[in-house]
Amino acid sequence: MQLASLLRSKKVHILMILLAASLLIFTAYRIYLFLGPRQAHYTLAQSRSLAYERLGGIGLGQSIKHLTLPPTPKLNQGNFDYYNVDKGTFVATPRDKDIIVRIILSANADPARQTTRGIGVDSTEYELTTIYGAPCYRRNEQGASIFGYLDKRANQTLEFWLFDKRVSLIRLDMADMS
């Protein structure tokens, strides 16, 4: 009898509704982190220093004018101008500025172009995790497994796009780029 009256109590109903709502919100948030945009993965990710990271000798914040042969824009995407530095190496700057905010080494990049720690296109997943450690976050996009390393203090990300456990693309950029 007491259990039946307890279940009919308004406090129990309110408590059960709050518990169900909390569970629903938590589940929706986890789904958002799993399926959401790149920045969603940063919320729970650990941070590690990328302060000295460069791709193929090019660093974030560097002026595009300081490249050996300053390239001309090849592609305008949103608020950014993309430049083809050489075969398979691209950089991006905010429109009408010359500061590099993204560096990409694609599948056909010169093998001499690597990260500061020596990982290049065609490195293996084993080599990557041996040198950089476990990724701060993982996500999937366009069929690739993406291992991401995040520096929250410097607002930078380093992502390795892997196909068949081999690096096919490396991207170093400011974390707020989409």
Side-chain angles (χ1 to χ4, degrees), residues 147-165:
F147 286 32
Y149 298 87
L150 172 65
D151 186 337
K152 291 181 180 179
R153 177 179 279 176
N155 192 35
Q156 296 178 359
T157 62
L158 176 62
E159 291 188 335
F160 297 90
W161 294 45
L162 287 83
F163 286 96
D164 298 324
K165 298 192 178 212

Side-chain angles (χ1 to χ4, degrees), residues 28-65:
Y29 181 67
R30 295 300 291 187
I31 290 171
Y32 170 73
L33 289 179
F34 182 72
L35 299 174
R38 185 169 79 114
Q39 289 85 349
H41 299 275
Y42 304 163
T43 305
L44 301 176
Q46 294 179 354
S47 180
R48 59 180 64 152
S49 177
L50 297 173
Y52 301 104
E53 195 62 60
R54 299 169 75 77
L55 289 186
I58 304 169
L60 295 177
Q62 175 180 336
S63 171
I64 198 159
K65 295 174 185 174

Side-chain angles (χ1 to χ4, degrees), residues 35-97:
L35 299 174
R38 185 169 79 114
Q39 289 85 349
H41 299 275
Y42 304 163
T43 305
L44 301 176
Q46 294 179 354
S47 180
R48 59 180 64 152
S49 177
L50 297 173
Y52 301 104
E53 195 62 60
R54 299 169 75 77
L55 289 186
I58 304 169
L60 295 177
Q62 175 180 336
S63 171
I64 198 159
K65 295 174 185 174
H66 292 122
L67 296 178
T68 307
L69 296 171
T72 56
K74 296 291 183 192
L75 171 68
N76 297 329
Q77 184 177 346
N79 296 324
F80 302 97
D81 290 326
Y82 281 79
Y83 300 83
N84 186 356
V85 176
D86 59 29
K87 181 182 171 190
T89 304
F90 304 89
V91 296
T93 63
R95 182 138 317 144
D96 301 324
K97 294 185 181 176

